[in-house]
Amino acid sequence: MSEEPVTSVSSAARPRLPRGVRLVHNEAQGGWLLLAPERVFKADAISAEILKRCTGEATVEAIVDDLAKSFNAPRERIFADVTKLIGGLADRKLLELE
Amino acid sequence: MATNGSSLSRPLGLLAELTHRCPLGCPYCSNPLALDKRSDELDAETWARVFREAAALGVLQVHLSGGEPAARRDLEQIVKAARGAQLYANLITSAVGITAERMHALADAGLDHVQISIQDSDEKSADRIAGYDGASQRKRALAAEVVKLGLPLTVNMVVHRANIERIEPMVELALALGASRVEIAHVQYYGWAMKNRAALMPTREQVERAVKDVEMLRQKHRGHIVIDAVVPDYYARFPKPCVGGWGRRSLNVTPAGRVLPCHAAEIIPGLEFWNVREHSLDDIWRNAPAFNAFRGDDWMQEPCRSCAMKEKDFGGCRCQAFLIAGDARVADPVCHLSPHHALVEELAQVRADTAYAYRG
């Protein structure tokens, strides 16, 4: 995603996969995949970790905290990665923000 | 390239043509001119086995299509079988003949997504294209039902001379119906569309304008609706990477069980197709002669063989090479490097306002 997302992502938003979008792990196709309407996206390891946490319950803030702790990484950097991914996926109707 | 060894890629998608029966008569239908009979259709149990074999092969999504898939009374059972095999179940429908109750039952069966075709934003024109009075109203009503059920909706709009100047209102209509995605698909000339080519073909000016319209609408509606476009073949300089390369990403099962590398493949003479009634899908994917016919690049001639683009476009579409140049082994004539390219330019100039030959 080269362009900046048009969807703005607040810390309090609770992202979730909408109906018709599923995160699956498939050995034959080489790992994590996002199944969407008539499209399939490969999810890299970082994206998969973020998407697994998009349950509609956790806020963006909680997801960032969790990832920063789990991967012992700087919070600001994770926040930037998470909001960019979530915003970009929301633009493409692959995530919903509650 | 070895075709039976470990380098064989795995298919992602299965197009399941459940039936060729359809209430509509769209003149651009990609079904073959000779349709499979109802009495030859695979039963739901066989489809269930095909889905399990597809999943084992790596397939992730099944596109339940036709004809009109809802012409089958056992569609709910087929949807359940697809989900039971862990596949993403996509319904590609005309929406005509599906009641609100039936849509509810299909959603309960586990459907993941619905694609509804809409022929035009202008209702009179839409019904004329579909060859069915009142089709447009029914489609709009079912689209509303799909959205009400919380299922994601794609509106598919096939673009040709009769509607190409209404892309903007068509996208507005998709938005108003609550679609999250719209597919603007320029007609691809196979099957019935080939038969109606002169009546469907837009002008170059119309196509250029349409491409600009789509780009403008993408920017305008970014974040609200996803706009995917299927390119207008005959006016292109480079061919499309047809089905992501022959026998690489997808397979197609006809109502009677023949397995094809793409839905039009049966027009190519001399190909041997295998049937799921006699072979497992895995066996067909690896060994059926039709699947191995155009894998890799051994079959390629110049200008494809030494062209760097062959890794990206795989020489384009084999069916188109056969239909236009008379030989499935030559470069897709859409490519400006093809010695047959002038034929495509000539064919694009053949336009006639004759009545459509509606599909049977």
Side-chain angles (χ1 to χ4, degrees):
Chain A
M1 259 162 287
S2 50
E3 291 173 280
E4 280 301 305
V6 293
T7 307
S8 66
V9 182
S10 87
S11 302
R14 296 174 198 271
R16 68 158 185 209
L17 298 176
R19 179 153 186 192
V21 180
R22 289 195 266 138
L23 180 70
V24 299
H25 191 269
N26 186 294
E27 284 301 331
Q29 299 289 1
W32 288 100
L33 300 144
L34 200 57
L35 304 186
E38 298 176 50
R39 293 168 298 171
V40 175
F41 301 93
K42 284 216 153 117
D44 60 27
I46 298 166
S47 305
E49 287 304 325
I50 298 171
L51 288 167
K52 276 187 235 171
R53 290 164 171 80
C54 294
T55 57
E57 279 163 29
T59 60
V60 168
E61 191 166 28
I63 291 171
V64 172
D65 286 343
D66 184 16
L67 288 166
K69 210 163 79 185
S70 303
F71 295 94
N72 196 21
R75 199 181 180 287
E76 307 76 65
R77 166 107 188 275
I78 300 236
F79 183 81
D81 284 352
V82 167
T83 49
K84 191 169 182 207
L85 180 85
I86 290 177
L89 291 174
D91 277 1
R92 294 190 282 170
K93 313 298 265 184
L94 300 170
L95 266 182
E96 279 173 358
L97 301 175
E98 295 273 298
Chain B
M1 189 182 92
T3 46
N4 292 353
S6 57
S7 66
L8 190 66
S9 62
R10 289 173 174 277
L12 279 170
L14 173 80
L15 185 71
E17 294 180 339
L18 301 179
T19 179
H20 276 154
R21 289 173 284 145
C22 184
L24 304 190
C26 307
Y28 51 74
C29 184
S30 60
N31 280 171
L33 299 180
L35 301 167
D36 285 356
K37 291 194 302 259
R38 180 179 192 166
S39 54
D40 290 337
E41 290 175 4
L42 298 177
D43 60 17
E45 223 166 278
T46 307
W47 279 114
R49 170 178 58 83
V50 169
F51 295 158
R52 289 192 298 273
E53 292 175 351
L57 200 50
V59 168
L60 298 166
Q61 295 189 317
V62 59
H63 309 289
L64 304 169
S65 177
E68 170 48 54
R72 288 193 59 139
R73 299 219 178 108
D74 52 4
L75 181 59
E76 289 83 342
Q77 198 185 332
I78 292 171
V79 169
K80 266 188 204 147
R83 287 303 304 269
Q86 308 294 315
L87 296 173
Y88 185 101
N90 175 29
L91 179 68
I92 298 178
T93 179
S94 71
V96 172
I98 304 185
T99 61
E101 294 70 36
R102 183 128 200 243
M103 197 64 240
H104 208 290
L106 289 166
D108 284 349
L111 208 55
D112 284 296
H113 170 253
V114 180
Q115 181 197 108
I116 295 181
S117 62
I118 290 197
Q119 277 65 26
D120 201 336
S121 54
D122 178 286
E123 297 209 63
K124 258 199 188 141
S125 168
D127 287 356
R128 190 179 68 82
I129 294 164
Y132 190 107
D133 274 344
S136 180
Q137 276 300 319
R138 288 169 176 236
K139 286 163 181 281
R140 293 178 188 215
L142 192 76
E145 212 54 51
V146 169
V147 171
K148 208 166 91 189
L149 287 165
L151 280 168
L153 171 71
T154 290
V155 167
N156 168 283
M157 295 170 162
V158 175
V159 172
H160 46 86
R161 193 159 81 245
N163 62 11
I164 193 166
E165 288 174 10
R166 282 187 292 277
I167 290 180
E168 184 163 10
M170 290 199 281
V171 169
E172 303 284 348
L173 171 61
L175 268 165
L177 291 172
S180 53
R181 180 168 170 268
V182 56
E183 228 176 59
I184 303 290
H186 287 262
V187 166
Q188 311 259 329
Y189 297 98
Y190 309 100
W192 295 87
M194 182 77 172
K195 201 177 165 78
N196 284 295
R197 187 170 55 194
L200 295 167
M201 185 68 69
T203 65
R204 177 177 290 277
E205 293 67 39
Q206 285 177 317
V207 163
E208 281 170 1
R209 172 77 200 277
V211 170
K212 279 189 195 137
D213 283 353
V214 167
E215 214 24 69
M216 178 273 288
L217 291 163
R218 259 198 196 128
Q219 289 306 318
K220 182 175 171 190
H221 298 301
R222 216 170 130 226
H224 299 284
I225 194 163
V226 177
I227 304 179
D228 284 331
V230 174
V231 295
D233 249 1
Y234 277 45
Y235 290 109
R237 272 171 57 84
F238 293 97
K240 62 194 173 221
C242 199
V243 288
W246 188 272
R248 287 184 79 251
R249 308 309 274 164
S250 62
L251 28 75
N252 181 92
V253 181
T254 73
R258 292 180 310 284
V259 188
L260 320 176
C262 80
H263 63 260
E266 285 181 295
I267 59 165
I268 298 176
L271 291 183
E272 183 187 333
F273 302 101
W274 287 0
N275 194 301
V276 294
R277 294 185 213 261
E278 284 110 39
H279 298 268
S280 72
L281 211 56
D282 186 77
D283 188 18
I284 295 171
W285 181 253
R286 289 171 194 281
N287 302 315
F291 274 86
N292 285 325
F294 302 112
R295 275 189 174 133
D297 57 12
D298 284 350
W299 59 272
M300 279 185 189
Q301 306 176 5
E302 293 299 347
C304 295
R305 186 173 267 283
S306 61
C307 181
M309 288 297 288
K310 73 178 176 185
E311 306 292 333
K312 287 207 170 90
D313 63 26
F314 312 101
C317 172
R318 297 304 85 227
C319 301
Q320 197 142 264
F322 170 71
L323 285 172
I324 295 175
D327 182 352
R329 294 180 176 273
V330 300
D332 185 336
V334 161
C335 183
H336 70 291
L337 299 171
S338 156
H340 302 99
H341 184 65
L343 285 173
V344 178
E345 291 185 333
E346 275 169 39
L347 289 169
Q349 296 312 311
V350 181
R351 289 184 291 271
D353 287 318
T354 46
Y356 294 142
Y358 290 102
R359 64 155 270 173

